[in-house]
């Protein structure tokens, strides 16, 4: 294996490259990214960058000197547009081609957009540094922000905006935000935090169109005919995995690049991070996780499997994510989607200080902490990793 090509220069791609070098790989490592920046951290974009607490100089995951010490062939500012997995050659947007012995796909995701919003000033998504800084420049006291989607990105943007004295309306089609992932009671609890901080949160509503005048957004039209006035709009309605460049390659694409338990998609091809949908044997299901910690862990696991194919190990993590909203620190371990039951095992919902645990089948599959010290949830992580039976983990009384 003389040449490893990594497509995607964010947390997962960088972790793959670093681990290869750390374990003694001396071949060529090419790191390709469609953004011009060195790898940087994305979670702070909707938190510290948007609030102004951080400047962009704090985002890089490594210094220029540390990146240079890895001896990478950097190809930044240009996208991959195709791959021939038989001859192991990939094509770039500038017309160049790059050969590989091993290809690591870490191309991430991109935000979904509302129809008719392209080119309209004041309509924002939050994925890149440019996205976040463009929105930050427009956030000022007294302005009106409409957030479409009450998921974590939308909720974080709304919380930051309220802290800056901005009038915020949040629109969500579901009756209870985040209920599909966290459960209805917890969804209502987190929703109440927005109400308490002055957000006009409207649930069970559907957006019909972006309303604009002279190329500038002026509002958001709903299917009931209502128009919600806006100076700016943040769209947080989910993502698309960046797999279009792999179409026609013969690789299996289905809500991401489909991989096995080793994160391998085909001979010579592996998936890492948000774009990869792999089989996690710990939870006995395929999953695609859009969180920075998972991307880095998967990159390290893929690099180790690349270097030791005869001793490769399944990638079976306990996924972790966090969110900061107002004065709430939200943390979760495990795979909460599709759960059968949720139980509060410490604290209470009313105070927004609690730990809740999740059951699927007979096993504990996740734990969520809101407003609690970080160490209080780590014991639950170990129980999830051990696939502890529900009754043993939480007790028959709490599970009732």
């Amino acid at each position: 294996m003389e040449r490893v090509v990594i497509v995607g220069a964010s947390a997962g791609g960088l972790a793959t490259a670093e681990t290869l070098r750390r374990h003694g790989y001396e071949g060529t490592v090419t790191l390709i990214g469609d953004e011009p920046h060195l790898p940087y951290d994305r979670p702070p974009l909707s938190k510290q960058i948007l609030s102004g607490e951080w400047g962009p100089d704090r985002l890089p995951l490594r210094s220029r000197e540390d990146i240079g010490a890895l001896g990478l062939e950097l190809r930044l500012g240009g996208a991959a547009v195709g791959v021939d997995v038989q001859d192991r050659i990939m094509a770039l947007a500038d017309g160049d081609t790059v050969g590989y012995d091993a290809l690591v796909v870490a191309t991430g995701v991109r935000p979904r957009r509302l129809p008719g919003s392209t080119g309209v000033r004041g309509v924002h998504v939050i994925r890149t540094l440019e996205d976040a800084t463009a929105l930050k420049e427009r956030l000022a006291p007294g302005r009106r922000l409409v957030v479409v989607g009450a998921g974590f990105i939308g909720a974080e943007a709304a919380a930051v905006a309220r802290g800056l004295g901005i009038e915020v309306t949040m629109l969500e089609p579901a009756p209870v935000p985040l209920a599909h992932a966290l459960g209805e009671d917890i969804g209502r609890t987190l929703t109440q935090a927005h109400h308490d901080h002055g957000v006009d949160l409207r649930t069970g509503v559907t957006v019909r169109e972006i309303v604009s005048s002279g190329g500038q957004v002026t509002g958001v039209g709903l299917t009931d005919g209502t128009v919600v006035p806006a100076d700016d709009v943040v769209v947080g309605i989910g993502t698309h995995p960046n797999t279009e460049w792999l179409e026609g390659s013969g690789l299996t694409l289905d809500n991401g690049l489909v991989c096995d338990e080793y994160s391998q998609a085909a001979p010579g091809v592996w998936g890492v991070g948000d774009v990869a949908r792999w089989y996690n044997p710990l939870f006995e299901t395929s999953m695609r996780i859009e969180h920075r910690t998972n991307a880095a862990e998967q990159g390290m696991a893929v690099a180790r499997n690349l270097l030791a194919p005869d001793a490769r190990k399944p990638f079976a993590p306990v996924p972790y994510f966090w969110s900061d909203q107002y004065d709430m620190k939200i943390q979760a371990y495990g795979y909460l989607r599709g759960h059968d039951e949720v139980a509060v095992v410490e604290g209470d919902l009313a105070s927004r200080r609690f730990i809740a645990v999740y059951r699927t089948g007979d096993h504990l599959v996740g734990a969520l902490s809101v407003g609690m010290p970080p160490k209080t949830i780590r014991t639950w992580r170990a129980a999830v990793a051990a696939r502890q039976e529900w009754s043993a983990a939480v007790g028959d009384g709490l599970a009732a």
Side-chain angles (χ1 to χ4, degrees):
M1 188 174 65
E2 298 179 358
R3 181 158 201 166
V4 177
V5 172
I6 303 167
V7 187
S10 196
L14 176 61
T16 308
E18 286 186 320
T19 306
L20 287 170
R21 292 304 194 213
R22 189 180 306 121
H23 287 266
Y25 179 68
E26 297 180 352
T28 301
V29 178
T30 302
L31 184 63
I32 297 168
D34 61 352
E35 294 183 62
H37 312 291
L38 291 175
Y40 65 89
D41 210 9
R42 295 187 192 276
L45 295 177
S46 57
K47 306 176 184 73
Q48 293 91 342
I49 293 295
L50 206 57
S51 69
E53 181 182 348
W54 286 13
D57 59 307
R58 292 190 60 176
L59 284 181
L61 291 167
R62 300 290 182 271
S63 68
R64 188 170 295 276
E65 291 72 24
D66 287 342
I67 295 291
L70 294 173
L72 307 178
E73 180 182 290
L74 288 175
R75 302 287 295 266
L76 302 178
V81 295
V83 62
D84 182 336
V85 297
Q86 299 301 317
D87 292 335
R88 302 199 178 191
I89 298 172
M90 54 164 298
L92 301 178
D94 63 6
D96 200 4
T97 59
V98 180
Y100 66 86
D101 298 308
L103 173 65
V104 178
V105 177
T107 43
V109 297
R110 66 187 184 281
R112 296 178 183 270
R113 297 178 183 267
L114 289 171
S117 64
T118 303
V120 178
R121 295 188 304 277
V123 179
H124 309 268
V125 293
I126 306 175
R127 178 65 185 176
T128 68
L129 173 58
E130 288 76 13
D131 292 337
T133 54
L135 176 57
K136 178 184 177 299
E137 290 172 359
R138 296 181 60 85
L139 295 181
R143 292 179 65 83
R144 300 166 302 178
L145 177 69
V146 174
V147 178
V148 182
F152 286 110
I153 288 291
E156 289 171 358
V160 169
R162 285 301 298 142
L164 296 174
I166 293 160
E167 180 183 319
V168 178
T169 302
M170 185 150 42
L171 308 174
E172 167 62 35
V176 179
L178 297 172
H180 65 290
L182 307 182
E184 286 198 6
D185 289 344
I186 292 174
R188 290 192 187 94
T189 297
L190 299 183
T191 296
Q192 187 59 44
H194 294 293
H195 289 302
D196 291 349
H197 285 83
V199 173
D200 179 7
L201 175 55
R202 307 182 191 182
T203 59
V205 299
T206 304
V207 171
R208 183 184 72 241
E209 62 182 346
I210 291 291
V211 180
S212 62
S213 177
Q216 169 66 44
V217 68
T218 59
V220 176
L222 307 181
T223 52
D224 66 2
T226 302
V227 175
V228 183
D231 298 306
D232 289 276
V233 175
V234 170
V235 180
I237 56 173
T239 62
H240 294 284
N242 288 323
T243 58
E244 287 77 10
W245 69 285
L246 299 172
E247 291 177 357
S249 66
L251 296 169
T252 303
L253 308 176
D254 181 9
N255 185 30
L257 174 64
V258 178
C259 303
D260 63 14
E261 65 268 36
Y262 304 102
S263 302
Q264 188 165 10
V269 182
W270 284 260
V272 163
D274 298 7
V275 74
R277 186 161 76 86
W278 90 103
Y279 181 80
N280 185 334
L282 180 62
F283 297 91
E284 300 178 341
T285 190
S286 291
M287 57 180 64
R288 188 173 64 80
I289 303 294
E290 296 184 22
H291 300 297
R292 182 220 185 284
T293 302
N294 184 77
E297 291 178 348
Q298 194 165 26
M300 292 187 283
V302 164
R304 290 191 291 264
N305 284 341
L306 274 173
L307 296 177
D310 294 333
R312 62 182 186 162
K313 296 180 180 179
F315 180 56
V318 176
Y320 169 74
F321 75 83
W322 78 97
S323 178
D324 295 319
Q325 299 172 30
Y326 309 108
D327 57 349
M328 295 188 301
K329 181 74 172 184
I330 303 168
Q331 300 180 88
Y333 285 105
Y335 191 65
L336 280 52
R337 289 180 179 272
H339 62 267
D340 297 322
E341 184 177 358
V342 57
V344 174
V345 294
E346 187 174 342
D348 63 89
L349 298 181
S351 66
R352 292 198 289 268
R353 291 179 56 83
F354 62 89
I355 291 178
V357 293
Y358 293 78
R359 175 182 66 82
T360 298
D362 297 327
H363 295 282
L364 177 74
V365 294
L368 174 82
S369 167
V370 175
M372 303 289 279
K375 65 180 181 180
T376 59
I377 197 174
R378 290 175 189 151
T379 301
W380 290 103
R381 180 201 179 282
V384 173
R387 287 189 56 80
Q388 203 161 33
E389 288 192 4
W390 179 252
S391 59
V394 302
D396 293 334
L398 285 173

